[in-house]
Amino acid sequence: MLIAIDCIIFGFDGAVLKLLLFKRKIRPEKGRWSLLGGFVKQDEDLESGAGRILYNLTGLTNVFVEQIMTAGKVGRDPVERTISVVYFALINILDQGQEALNAHNAQWINLDDKPNLIFDHDEMVSKALEWLRYKAALHPLGFELLPERFTIPQLQNLYEAIYSMRLDRRNFNRKIHSTNLLIDTGEKDPLSNTKKATLYRLDKDRYNNKFDSFWHFMPHPGNEKG
Amino acid sequence: MLIAIDCIIFGFDGAVLKLLLFKRKIRPEKGRWSLLGGFVKQDEDLESGAGRILYNLTGLTNVFVEQIMTAGKVGRDPVERTISVVYFALINILDQGQEALNAHNAQWINLDDKPNLIFDHDEMVSKALEWLRYKAALHPLGFELLPERFTIPQLQNLYEAIYSMRLDRRNFNRKIHSTNLLIDTGEKDPLSNTKKATLYRLDKDRYNNKFDSFWHFMPHPGNEKG
DNA sequence: GCAAAAGTGTTGGCGTTACACCCATGA
DNA sequence: TCATGGGTGTAACGCCAACACTTTTGC
């Protein structure tokens, strides 16, 4: 029995949610799209393995990584019985260059345009998206996908992408500010042709301390009864 | 590398939350307390493995089981590198007899009196409890721990045990009823010396359909800001 | 000055907490 | 009839969704 790690890597370019996928260079299923993965080494922890795999592809460390499930169906890998521990990672697309990606046949792909993946990787992506939605509704997870300095409209775009819904600008603003997790950098986003949005950065200490508190980032309009 | 399954089995006797543990009959760590576990068979899915292990110990099928994590630290099992997929199960204590337990050296132990367990099993229990609290705050999970017919005070006791806090009887009542998940059996709980509580049963269909909705079973009093 | 996007204020509805009151039962 | 616990009602508060208005910028 083999133990593998597969990584679901979410990224955000400011407009749509993306997935980092790569085209297999080896058999089986050569040429098809797949999650990034690898086998667990004899002397490494699972987390380390996930970190290693991410580092090799993106060159990034200090990435938000979380274990979300372990897939172990008997026939999931047609070649040999393989148990796969699935991690999901949130990274800021801009942080990481194109070269490493090319070297690995990797590519950012819009979540909406996702091709079918090998094995049970589609299921894994579904689970991960479900998980992301679940968690981001209650915890200030979104910041992980943004650059160090970001605007509130950017954050709102992100949440809208995650949930495929439009949010009210004003309520969203107040909700985010009420977390007291933002620090005004005093600067403005130079882009955009209209009123420039304020650039904020995350209050890391508060973020770490309060990450597990229950916020309510998504609106919950009239609960239907019955 | 070996693949194991460990099961954290929660039970509720009407007053306190319990854990089903057993005393190891084999080396290593013979005689110490441990979670119930076993190795994954070559031809069985992970879920099936968890089900098999649970069935062998409790004789129960149709148990609420959920995968919560996979532990894979290098030295966690001192004998051989072992990856353990952890499941947690919620069962109604009364459903299951004493014989099977004795045969396996197993015993229900109050969560508060939990002895130290072998390997990293203590961590697993912490994670499971955290998970239980997280989930039970938002989803109608508690019913799994109660007999088929139960009273609202029983359910309240359960929630109080899970969160180690007292809840307001009246608000709890309304909250539970507002879920529309309860069916009045028309009967009363014969026990108790005072006014007999109404016995309800779960509306299974609604329960399955709405399990993933976000309720708020726990009170959330004045959010401290700052 | 106009359009477009960022940011601030206000209000009304509704869910929820906190609390008072009645009911049923056995001793 | 009293104590104990189950069950219902209600009112004030606070949060939040919905909406109007002001500000800034580039053309």
Side-chain angles (χ1 to χ4, degrees), chain B residues 9-212:
Chain B
I9 307 170
F10 285 108
F12 182 64
D13 66 356
V16 292
L17 207 55
K18 299 194 174 220
L19 218 47
L20 190 51
L21 298 174
F22 87 117
K23 221 175 211 155
R24 279 174 75 88
K25 287 192 272 194
I26 56 167
R27 299 179 159 280
E29 303 278 10
K30 183 174 172 180
R32 286 190 61 202
W33 291 95
S34 152
L35 293 172
L36 184 66
F39 290 103
V40 178
K41 297 194 169 168
Q42 190 64 35
D43 60 344
E44 82 182 346
D45 296 344
L46 294 176
E47 281 73 22
S48 317
R52 166 177 57 82
I53 290 170
L54 280 167
Y55 177 76
N56 286 344
L57 179 65
T58 65
L60 298 177
T61 57
N62 273 16
V63 174
F64 180 94
V65 175
E66 196 160 306
Q67 191 192 105
I68 55 165
M69 64 175 288
T70 297
K73 280 230 164 52
V74 169
R76 57 174 294 279
D77 183 326
V79 179
E80 187 170 351
R81 177 78 194 273
T82 305
I83 311 284
S84 172
V85 184
V86 183
Y87 283 83
F88 91 150
L90 302 180
I91 79 177
N92 164 23
I93 286 187
L94 304 174
D95 272 1
Q96 147 276 358
Q98 192 63 36
E99 323 80 48
L101 297 191
N102 294 338
H104 286 81
N105 256 354
Q107 204 175 310
W108 285 106
I109 295 189
N110 290 358
L111 198 59
D112 292 331
D113 305 333
K114 181 185 74 60
N116 286 334
L117 308 179
I118 62 163
F119 303 170
D120 53 357
H121 287 193
D122 286 322
E123 273 179 59
M124 293 176 178
V125 171
S126 300
K127 258 279 181 355
L129 186 59
E130 197 182 298
W131 184 245
L132 176 61
R133 285 180 168 155
Y134 191 86
K135 204 139 190 195
L138 299 171
H139 306 280
L141 199 57
F143 302 109
E144 302 289 345
L145 286 156
L146 295 175
E148 200 178 326
R149 302 190 315 155
F150 55 88
T151 68
I152 293 189
Q154 278 170 28
L155 187 61
Q156 178 174 347
N157 284 339
L158 172 55
Y159 270 83
E160 291 183 338
I162 292 176
Y163 295 96
S164 306
M165 58 171 14
R166 311 266 322 157
L167 301 176
D168 185 285
R169 183 168 31 94
R170 305 153 277 198
N171 293 332
F172 186 80
N173 253 289
R174 211 164 345 87
K175 210 167 269 194
I176 293 300
H177 276 123
S178 77
T179 64
N180 280 104
L181 254 40
L182 269 52
I183 299 175
D184 189 334
T185 65
E187 298 176 63
K188 304 284 179 182
D189 184 7
L191 307 170
S192 111
N193 301 329
T194 67
K195 182 171 182 178
K196 281 139 174 51
T198 310
L199 282 165
Y200 293 91
R201 60 188 178 80
L202 190 58
D203 186 329
K204 290 268 166 61
D205 290 340
R206 278 223 170 87
Y207 176 74
N208 292 327
N209 285 334
K210 298 222 171 186
F211 187 85
D212 286 325

Side-chain angles (χ1 to χ4, degrees), chain A residues 1 3 40-46 67 69-70 72-74 81 134 138-139 180 206 214 216 226, chain B residues 1 3 40-46 67 69-70 72-74 81 134 138-139 206 214 216 226:
Chain A
M1 247 182 276
I3 317 279
V40 178
K41 298 193 169 170
Q42 190 63 36
D43 61 345
E44 80 182 347
D45 296 344
L46 295 176
Q67 190 192 105
M69 65 175 288
T70 297
K73 280 229 165 55
V74 169
R81 178 77 194 274
Y134 191 87
L138 299 171
H139 306 281
N180 280 102
R206 277 223 170 88
F214 274 25
H216 293 288
Chain B
M1 244 182 280
I3 316 277
V40 178
K41 297 194 169 168
Q42 190 64 35
D43 60 344
E44 82 182 346
D45 296 344
L46 294 176
Q67 191 192 105
M69 64 175 288
T70 297
K73 280 230 164 52
V74 169
R81 177 78 194 273
Y134 191 86
L138 299 171
H139 306 280
R206 278 223 170 87
F214 275 23
H216 292 287

